[in-house]
Amino acid sequence: MSLGRRFSSGVAWMSVGVWVEQTFNFIIIAILARLLGAEAFGLLAMAAAFVLFSEFLVRESISDILLTRDELSPTRLNSVFWLLALLGTVLMALLFLAAGPLAGFYSEDLVQNLLVGLSPTVMMIALTAVPVAILRRQMEFRVLALRAIVGAVIGGIVGIGMALSGYGVWALVGQRLAVTTTNIVMAWGAVSWRPGFSVSRKHIREILHFGHRILGLRAAELAAVQAPVVIIGALMGPVQAGFYAIAWRVVEIASFLLITPLRMVAQPAFAAVTREGGKAAYLLKDVMQLIGFVAIPAFAGLAVLSEPVLILLFGQKWTPAAPTLSLLSVFGMYRCIEKIHQTFCLAAGRVGRLAILSWAEVCLATLAIIVTAPYGLTVVMAAFVAAFLILWPIRYGNLAGISGLSASMLARLHFAPLLLSAIMAGIVQGVVWPLAGWPQVGVLLLGTLTGILAYLLLARLVLPDRLRLLMSMIRTGAGHGEAADYSKGIEG
């Protein structure tokens, strides 16, 4: 199978897995939100901020060196595995030690127990990172898709069962532990490799050289979205933290649905193109066109329809989170496009500058949140989003230097989708504005249908090439049509 066809097939499988998984997650979160309320979600978000930070450092960090263009060996795999095991042990121990002080920082005693209960997931994920990287490198995305779906189902059953049994916020902890355990079993069952004790100083040096940069990048990436929970929880209380948490969860799921299939497949594909002597920049251009064409209008629609989305999914009591969701939708556009930037840099093994830039964004965003906290959650979110957009042009310059494409050309890929999405959002707003008093499901369905039809009509007139690229990818992923042969340097 050609690389182009493997890429399209991988995107198709990952799309199925991600969409089915997140459909289950959405249903589960909606049920749990109705059963548990904002305070439970706020308390979990305050504790989970540090656990998720630690998980992120071991999930797609050091193991990403296995997805670069370099060849694999048992010694290289063993070296990565044991370094991750050591990192997971250290992070889990730090969470245990920090649980008490963090509970005092929040003035919420329950946070200590929640941190201790969630912390084992860090080690569990660290011990599974290498099998997952092997599956990604081999482009075995069918296995990864099924793993995601089964984990979501089992986690949902456990979480809802515990909520109905009166466990309160601990239902969310049980859900997370069940998902992680299922993912471990399925990942190890799908690979034949097992860790040994043969390691190499050369490989460890290479991994550490790559690892400290990517750990810095991953830390900054997660700090960017968890810092608001910590600061809002400390300065504004758990209810406001809960409103942020649920709005961010909607954006996170939406971006996960849109970007994960492309991101998971693109990283090993970029590296494979380079190994086979092709031009990874050609594939980068196609992926950038696809994500901008799909993600920008999707989040523009979410921004306009934030209130009916929240009411329909979580209930009337979550209406105050609507302005936060609208503003975070702009961040969702940024996040999806930035993930492709990051994926290309990771495949090239060049993440040092990206990590520095990411931490600059975190510092600026944190300062903006602290300064604006007295003015309410909506102002906080506006400042948070603005902090990232200010530095966005620098990211394009960094990507241009690595890919060999011009920064202006890369940025121009998104100008037309932005303009068409703004027009579409105006049309949707005009349609739903007179519908006050309608059932929220009717407002959401009519607004969504209007947005899709308006954007497709505009795209057919202005961006027919993007429509053809999207349809070509869909047909190839379904087993029909020819895929672009990027390994031979032919632009798709």
Side-chain angles (χ1 to χ4, degrees):
M1 186 184 295
S2 71
L3 179 59
R5 186 171 290 280
R6 280 186 289 151
F7 176 81
S8 299
S9 176
V11 172
W13 269 111
M14 285 306 300
S15 297
V16 171
V18 165
W19 279 79
V20 173
E21 176 199 18
Q22 292 306 312
T23 298
F24 277 114
N25 281 339
F26 236 4
I27 294 170
I28 292 160
I29 290 171
I31 295 171
L32 291 174
R34 292 173 183 273
L35 292 173
L36 301 176
E39 186 173 3
F41 273 83
L43 286 168
L44 185 82
M46 291 157 66
F50 300 93
V51 178
L52 291 173
F53 183 87
S54 301
E55 288 179 0
F56 213 58
L57 293 180
V58 297
R59 178 180 284 107
E60 294 177 20
S61 56
I62 295 174
S63 61
D64 272 18
I65 197 171
L66 303 177
L67 301 177
T68 61
R69 60 190 178 187
D70 299 319
E71 297 300 324
L72 295 185
S73 67
T75 304
R76 190 180 186 87
L77 291 167
N78 291 338
S79 300
V80 173
F81 177 84
W82 291 114
L83 282 173
L84 278 169
L86 176 61
L87 178 60
T89 301
V90 171
L91 290 172
M92 189 170 67
L94 288 174
L95 288 173
F96 269 88
L97 293 173
L102 287 171
F105 171 74
Y106 284 124
S107 299
E108 293 284 353
D109 293 338
L110 186 56
V111 168
Q112 178 175 359
N113 293 332
L114 292 174
L115 267 168
V116 172
L118 286 168
S119 59
T121 62
V122 178
M123 176 60 76
M124 296 161 75
I125 291 171
L127 298 179
T128 317
V130 171
V132 171
I134 292 172
L135 292 170
R136 289 182 65 192
R137 183 180 175 103
Q138 296 172 346
M139 303 190 85
E140 295 287 348
F141 292 104
R142 176 177 175 273
V143 175
L144 293 173
L146 294 175
R147 169 179 176 262
I149 294 169
V150 174
V153 172
I154 293 178
I157 292 171
V158 171
I160 293 172
M162 290 179 67
L164 292 173
S165 300
Y167 283 91
V169 67
W170 288 100
L172 300 172
V173 177
Q175 178 198 17
R176 181 64 184 154
L177 290 171
V179 170
T180 307
T181 302
T182 304
N183 288 344
I184 286 176
V185 172
M186 295 192 68
W188 279 103
V191 298
S192 59
W193 175 81
R194 293 294 180 267
F197 293 100
S198 61
V199 297
S200 161
R201 289 185 180 179
K202 175 187 174 184
H203 285 138
I204 289 177
R205 285 195 299 270
E206 291 175 352
I207 295 163
L208 291 176
H209 180 75
F210 176 86
H212 82 273
R213 289 173 169 80
I214 193 171
L215 284 174
L217 175 63
R218 295 305 189 202
E221 187 177 8
L222 193 58
V225 296
Q226 293 302 325
V229 173
V230 176
I231 300 171
I232 293 168
L235 299 181
M236 304 174 72
V239 173
Q240 295 300 310
F243 287 144
Y244 167 80
I246 208 71
W248 167 246
R249 184 58 175 155
V250 174
V251 171
E252 184 181 42
I253 290 176
S255 60
F256 191 83
L257 290 171
L258 292 169
I259 193 60
T260 299
L262 277 174
R263 181 183 67 83
M264 292 288 287
V265 182
Q267 188 174 338
F270 286 144
V273 169
T274 304
R275 285 197 301 270
E276 296 176 17
K279 292 279 289 185
Y282 291 155
L283 179 57
L284 171 65
K285 182 181 176 183
D286 277 1
V287 174
M288 289 278 284
Q289 288 178 322
L290 283 171
I291 195 59
F293 183 72
V294 175
I296 292 173
F299 281 107
L302 180 60
V304 174
L305 299 172
S306 59
E307 185 171 325
V309 166
L310 287 170
I311 293 173
L312 185 63
L313 291 174
F314 308 117
Q316 192 75 35
K317 61 186 176 183
W318 292 95
T319 302
T324 297
L325 178 55
S326 295
L327 289 165
L328 284 177
S329 295
V330 179
F331 183 71
M333 300 179 193
Y334 161 89
R335 178 180 170 87
C336 286
I337 295 170
E338 185 276 327
K339 281 288 189 180
I340 299 301
H341 291 208
Q342 182 188 115
T343 296
F344 189 85
C345 296
L346 285 168
R350 297 174 62 182
V351 295
R353 291 181 181 177
L354 197 60
I356 294 171
L357 177 58
S358 297
W359 275 110
E361 291 173 334
V362 170
C363 292
L364 184 59
T366 300
L367 178 62
I369 295 169
I370 293 172
V371 169
T372 58
Y375 303 100
L377 188 58
T378 300
V379 177
V380 166
M381 289 296 98
F384 171 77
V385 174
F388 286 89
L389 298 181
I390 288 171
L391 298 179
W392 204 4
I394 303 176
R395 285 189 175 271
Y396 278 95
N398 180 66
L399 182 63
I402 296 173
S403 66
L405 302 173
S406 73
S408 60
M409 186 277 288
L410 290 168
R412 284 197 306 271
L413 293 175
H414 305 306
F415 286 173
L418 277 169
L419 177 59
L420 299 188
S421 297
I423 296 171
M424 176 209 73
I427 294 171
V428 173
Q429 184 64 60
V431 169
V432 301
W433 180 73
L435 304 182
W438 273 44
Q440 294 301 315
V441 64
V443 174
L444 185 58
L445 288 175
L446 182 59
T448 301
L449 182 60
T450 300
I452 292 172
L453 292 176
Y455 185 75
L456 287 177
L457 178 59
L458 291 168
R460 185 173 180 82
L461 295 173
V462 180
L463 293 173
D465 58 322
R466 305 288 177 93
L467 275 175
R468 287 194 296 269
L469 178 62
L470 178 62
M471 295 308 299
S472 174
M473 184 74 69
I474 292 171
R475 287 195 299 269
T476 305
H480 307 290
E482 293 298 321
D485 193 352
Y486 300 103
S487 64
K488 294 182 180 179
I490 299 172
E491 185 173 2

